[in-house]
């Protein structure tokens, strides 16, 4: 067994990828782990943080250097507060790493536990007490996360889609995946955006005869929205910003960027802008996924 302070073996070198999947119990880790297996990751569930380096060495020796994903949570009672130290040691050894954190609102977690009739791993007197204690235990991991998703308003199929689209880029260290989501502010803002832009300053097709029942995917609405000087200037500035940011995100090891485009209802302006931005990202050679959260509402 490798001692805790022993150096990482030479069999684990630069280029090795490690994904750490963590978050609150009930937030969707099991679904995430299954999708990672489908993507070709070698997944180890409920691993003590102290064993990270040993597992990395065994993965290189026995699994042909496959991309490794480990699930770390509170089920085993392991001191997750020590994980930051282990992560820093691995990064200093040249191990590429991505930390994915799944979260959900307290009332949603309580409902999920009650629906499935299973106990919380911390086992405190009340379910609310257990959730609060676990949230406090994981605050440092939440702040450090490379990817964060709040699954409160996400069903199982949507969560699988999110993992498939965002984490597939990790199979290729050189890929950067971008997700552009249109939404309506009146329905609440998305919880996992890295960048968010408000396009409510643009003329609203909702008030134009013949356009209200259409969406930003229809050519008439796109022409109306994108045909103004303000829209063209706005898109030019976003393109300049992303051209500056994306290479720097990649240099820091970030494998995806989530971009939110919001208007009032999420049906016209934000959809048209998101479609235009997504096309530009594709032309630039990026893996871009376009999602319209509220277009059918």
């Amino acid at each position: 067994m490798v001692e805790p302070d022993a150096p990482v073996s030479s069999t684990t070198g630069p280029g090795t990828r490690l994904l750490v999947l963590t978050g609150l119990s009930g937030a969707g880790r099991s679904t995430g782990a299954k999708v990672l297996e489908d993507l070709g990751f070698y997944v180890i569930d409920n691993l003590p943080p102290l064993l990270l380096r040993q597992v990395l060495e065994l993965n290189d020796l026995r699994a042909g250097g496959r991309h490794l994903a480990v699930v770390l949570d509170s089920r085993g009672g392991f001191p997750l507060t020590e994980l930051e130290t282990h992560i820093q040691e691995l990064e200093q050894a040249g191990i590429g790493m991505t930390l994915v954190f799944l979260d959900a609102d307290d009332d949603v977690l309580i409902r999920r536990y009650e629906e499935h009739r299973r106990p919380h791993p911390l086992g405190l007197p009340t379910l609310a007490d257990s959730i609060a204690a676990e949230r406090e235990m994981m605050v440092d991991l939440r702040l450090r996360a490379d990817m964060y998703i709040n699954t409160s308003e996400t069903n199982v199929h949507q969560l699988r889609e999110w993992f498939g689209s965002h984490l597939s880029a990790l199979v290729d260290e050189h890929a950067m995946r971008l997700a552009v989501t249109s939404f309506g502010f009146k329905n609440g803002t998305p919880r996992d955006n890295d960048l968010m832009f408000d396009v409510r300053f643009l003329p609203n097709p909702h008030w134009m005869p013949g356009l209200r029942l259409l969406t930003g995917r229809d050519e008439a609405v796109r022409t109306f929205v994108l045909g103004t000087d303000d829209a063209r200037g706005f898109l030019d500035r976003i393109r300049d910003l992303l051209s500056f940011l994306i290479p720097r995100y990649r240099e820091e090891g970030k494998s995806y960027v989530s971009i939110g485009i919001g208007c009032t209802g999420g049906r016209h302006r934000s959809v048209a802008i998101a479609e235009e931005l997504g096309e530009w990202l594709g032309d630039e050679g990026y893996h871009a996924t376009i999602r319209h959260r509220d277009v059918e509402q």
Side-chain angles (χ1 to χ4, degrees):
M1 179 178 292
V2 179
E3 295 298 326
D5 58 351
V8 177
S9 165
S10 60
T11 60
T12 303
T16 301
R17 294 294 308 184
L18 170 65
L19 185 144
V20 177
L21 178 62
T22 188
L24 296 184
S25 301
R29 288 191 314 268
S30 297
T31 298
K34 291 177 182 177
V35 176
L36 288 173
E37 289 181 342
D38 293 340
L39 292 174
F41 281 82
Y42 181 61
V43 180
I44 302 177
D45 194 10
N46 201 21
L47 181 75
L50 185 64
L51 300 181
L52 278 173
R53 283 194 287 181
Q54 290 97 314
V55 168
L56 278 168
E57 292 179 349
L58 290 173
N59 182 61
D60 278 347
L61 290 171
R62 299 181 182 179
R66 288 174 61 190
H67 288 60
L68 176 67
V70 298
V71 181
L72 299 171
D73 52 52
S74 60
R75 284 171 294 168
F78 304 117
L80 295 179
T81 53
E82 298 179 4
L83 181 58
E84 179 68 24
T85 300
H86 298 293
I87 288 177
Q88 290 177 353
E89 291 175 352
L90 292 174
E91 288 178 335
Q92 291 171 0
I95 307 301
M97 187 177 309
T98 300
L99 178 62
V100 180
F101 191 97
L102 300 185
D103 197 359
D105 297 343
D106 287 1
D107 60 331
V108 174
L109 294 174
I110 290 174
R111 185 178 70 247
R112 289 174 181 173
Y113 269 99
E114 291 176 344
E115 289 175 350
H116 291 88
R117 299 180 180 274
R118 57 189 177 92
H120 193 281
L122 294 187
L124 296 182
T126 70
L127 186 53
D129 290 339
S130 296
I131 293 172
E134 186 179 42
R135 191 177 295 282
E136 178 65 25
M137 181 189 306
M138 293 189 163
V139 64
D140 290 338
L141 291 177
R142 163 66 183 91
L143 295 174
R144 193 199 185 283
D146 300 294
M147 296 184 180
Y148 170 87
I149 180 171
N150 188 303
T151 67
S152 298
E153 301 173 357
T154 305
N155 60 38
V156 173
H157 301 293
Q158 291 170 330
L159 187 59
R160 288 186 64 87
E161 180 182 356
W162 186 93
F163 271 101
S165 63
H166 288 75
L167 299 185
S168 60
L170 298 180
V171 178
D172 179 1
E173 293 92 317
H174 303 292
M176 159 93 50
R177 185 166 294 276
L178 297 105
V180 182
T181 300
S182 70
F183 67 93
F185 279 100
K186 73 175 185 180
N187 300 314
T189 59
R191 301 170 183 269
D192 59 343
N193 281 337
D194 297 300
L195 302 169
M196 188 180 301
F197 300 98
D198 183 349
V199 297
R200 288 176 291 186
F201 66 90
L202 296 174
N204 192 349
H206 178 82
W207 305 113
M208 298 299 296
L211 298 183
R212 175 178 296 190
L213 299 181
L214 302 178
T215 76
R217 289 179 294 196
D218 292 304
E219 187 59 36
V221 174
R222 291 191 67 174
T223 299
F224 178 86
V225 172
L226 302 177
T228 66
D229 291 339
D230 284 346
R232 289 189 291 269
F234 177 74
L235 283 166
D236 287 343
R237 286 164 175 80
I238 289 185
R239 294 176 186 126
D240 288 342
L241 177 62
L242 293 179
S243 296
F244 173 82
L245 287 176
I246 291 173
R248 287 157 180 81
Y249 282 146
R250 181 187 286 124
E251 290 173 2
E252 291 300 316
K254 193 172 180 62
S255 57
Y256 95 110
V257 176
S258 180
I259 304 166
I261 308 291
C263 63
T264 303
R267 183 175 175 83
H268 298 110
R269 292 167 291 182
S270 62
V271 173
I273 294 293
E275 287 283 337
E276 186 72 11
L277 185 60
E279 290 181 9
W280 174 77
L281 289 169
D283 292 341
E284 293 295 306
Y286 295 111
H287 300 277
T289 300
I290 312 301
R291 174 179 173 239
H292 302 301
R293 191 192 70 178
D294 301 330
V295 71
E296 300 301 334
Q297 296 194 26

